[in-house]
DNA sequence: TAAATTAATAATGAATGCAAAATGCAAATT
DNA sequence: AATTTGCATTTTGCATTCATTATTAATTTA
């Protein structure tokens, strides 16, 4: 075995890949807001690239459901509709549920420890009423469970939905009760994981998401009376 | 309201869309086989298009997981690995299971009738030992259940997995017993649907897929000893 | 003046061109 | 003879250009 075998090949992501990632972030972070036109030319100039890779990126994001391409009329940021949200949540529920079962079957002690660590941090943020901080750790916990499930296809599909839900920031608003409830649910999640009780965790995660959805739905109904 | 308002606008799908569909079919139908390089230029000439829309299509298919793009080295048809298959099947199980529950909750009598019709046709094909014909109707039945679930997002995600599984034609080989078993399972599926028993259907569909997977896994093990 | 038609402008879809990278091959070296 | 090195060819990534379709502005006409 030569010393060179240790050296990994350098990966230089192509322009269109960087662009897809960049644009995806811009959409999720709300720099490009829902319904907004995506002016090809302007974006190209802003980011200093030509139209070819930009258009390639737009096609990919459209196939991911983040944009709509109206022929000869360009791209628009696709706003997730209430109807779509009602479609997406059961799916995410199924994903989380599956992830829970898979995770319990093979999660390591180290992974559980890490989860508890993040969970504790999240609690601190909750007690400090720091919602953004809370969400950050909250998201990380769900990511860790997905990772523990050890199914890359599952992660990919889950993320593609999560992105679209996150894009519509229904979640920024949460009542005090709902927040308390969510924290309690997370407590049970950790417990089920420690016990490696797949069925229980699966059910809790599904319920957790259903409650989240109920809160979102409530929020929507309050918004558009 | 003028008479012209009745006339729908001609939808001329853009070239890259047609190309993505075309290439997707070529992959699923095995015209482009797994592992094979996809020579941009040659394909362009064959299909009479320029490289731009072709490259856009390739990017989309890559993001769908049907191709891999090695930078500066072009596209290859991505062969689904055994590991990936093991990832995909639980997911499809979750999808089918969810579809079953949703379908039972809202399927119409007309839809059930249609399902039974296709089911009967499928039985005829089984009795005639016509496997391709059987598969065609089999696939249609699962499509109809998905449609009855009335969740477009679910359908989209399910299809994107189904395509990748279908591409690897593990299914063409099926033992007589397995075939018999599959037919019996389909019998139960129809019954559960008629009874609109969501839980039961959900369980049957999941089991149905698990058995299918077991058969596929068996086939793989026989292939590479 | 307001509606409608036409002209001008801008944006998109697709094709071509060019530079960089990879591949294939033959000569050269060990 | 086998491996390496240099060179030509091919292929890819991206930019640019051309053509077509929308959008806007201007003009005409009722």
């Amino acid at each position: 075995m030569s010393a060179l075998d240790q050296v990994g090949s350098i990966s230089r992501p192509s322009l269109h890949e960087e662009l897809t990632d960049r644009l995806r972030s811009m959409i999720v972070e709300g720099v490009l807001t829902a319904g907004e036109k995506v002016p090809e030319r302007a974006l190209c100039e802003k980011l200093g690239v030509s139209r070819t890779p930009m258009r390639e990126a737009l096609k990919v994001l459209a196939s991911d459901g983040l944009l709509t391409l109206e022929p000869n009329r360009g791209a628009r940021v696709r706003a997730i509709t209430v109807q779509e949200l009602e479609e997406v949540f059961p799916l995410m529920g199924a994903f989380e549920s599956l992830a829970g079962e898979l995770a319990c079957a093979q999660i390591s002690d180290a992974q559980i420890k890490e989860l508890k660590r993040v969970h504790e941090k999240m609690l601190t943020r909750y007690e400090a009423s720091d919602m953004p901080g809370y969400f950050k750790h909250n998201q990380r916990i769900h990511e860790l469970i997905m990772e523990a499930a050890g199914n890359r296809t599952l992660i990919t599909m889950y993320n593609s939905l999560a992105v679209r839900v996150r894009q519509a920031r229904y979640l920024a608003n949460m009542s005090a009760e709902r927040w308390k409830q969510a924290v309690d649910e997370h407590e049970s999640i950790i417990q089920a994981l420690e016990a490696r009780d797949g069925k229980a965790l699966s059910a809790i995660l599904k319920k957790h998401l259903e409650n989240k959805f109920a809160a979102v739905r409530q929020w929507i109904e309050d918004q558009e009376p």
Side-chain angles (χ1 to χ4, degrees), chain A:
Chain A
M1 182 177 187
S2 111
L4 275 177
D5 293 349
Q6 301 289 358
V7 182
S9 68
I10 54 175
S11 80
R12 201 159 40 95
S14 47
L15 208 40
H16 75 88
E17 259 184 287
E18 287 190 56
L19 272 177
T20 20
D21 291 348
R22 183 79 186 275
L23 291 181
R24 204 197 311 276
S25 310
M26 286 175 80
I27 293 170
V28 174
E29 285 164 20
V31 181
L32 297 172
T33 62
E36 194 179 343
K37 268 182 295 188
V38 183
E40 221 172 85
R41 223 183 63 74
L43 258 180
C44 288
E45 284 176 15
K46 208 176 189 81
L47 300 178
V49 298
S50 85
R51 285 177 56 212
T52 307
M54 173 67 71
R55 301 184 96 255
E56 290 170 354
L58 293 180
K59 300 288 179 297
V60 169
L61 291 176
S63 114
D64 280 5
L66 274 114
L67 299 175
T68 48
L69 299 180
E70 301 164 73
N72 294 318
R73 217 164 296 184
R76 296 193 98 91
V77 179
R78 186 142 170 276
I80 194 167
T81 63
V82 176
Q83 189 215 325
E84 224 179 323
L85 206 67
E86 298 207 4
E87 289 189 4
V88 165
F89 264 89
L91 270 169
M92 290 187 75
F95 286 143
E96 293 245 13
S97 173
L98 178 60
E101 279 200 59
L102 294 175
C104 278
Q106 53 185 353
I107 194 167
S108 70
D109 291 338
Q111 281 174 309
I112 289 183
K113 200 177 162 195
E114 170 67 2
L115 262 163
K116 288 178 85 170
R117 203 182 58 77
V118 180
H119 179 65
E120 287 304 321
K121 275 196 165 184
M122 190 188 78
L123 285 184
T124 333
R125 294 301 85 213
Y126 169 62
E127 278 148 20
S129 295
D130 168 18
M131 226 184 244
Y134 169 84
F135 273 124
K136 216 185 89 194
H137 291 107
N138 180 354
Q139 189 179 319
R140 184 72 193 128
I141 287 173
H142 287 273
E143 281 172 8
L144 283 171
I145 294 175
M146 282 286 155
E147 281 172 31
N151 186 320
R152 302 200 63 78
T153 314
L154 170 59
I155 292 177
T156 306
M157 298 208 114
Y158 179 79
N159 282 342
S160 82
L161 291 187
V163 160
R164 283 165 67 189
V165 172
R166 235 172 268 145
Q167 171 205 7
R169 34 203 81 264
Y170 299 116
L171 313 171
N173 290 35
M174 187 159 59
S175 71
E177 314 146 74
R178 170 60 197 138
W179 199 355
K180 173 74 166 62
Q181 183 192 30
V183 170
D184 288 345
E185 283 163 7
H186 266 262
E187 207 65 71
S188 320
I189 289 170
I190 298 291
Q191 279 168 21
L193 260 171
E194 277 194 289
R196 290 186 168 77
D197 184 342
K199 289 285 172 208
L201 179 57
S202 168
I204 294 166
L205 282 170
K206 199 172 169 204
K207 191 75 189 145
H208 181 54
L209 205 76
E210 276 168 14
N211 290 337
K212 184 162 149 185
F213 182 36
V216 167
R217 191 203 294 263
Q218 185 61 53
W219 184 84
I220 292 170
E221 281 166 7
D222 291 348
Q223 294 294 310
E224 4 176 296

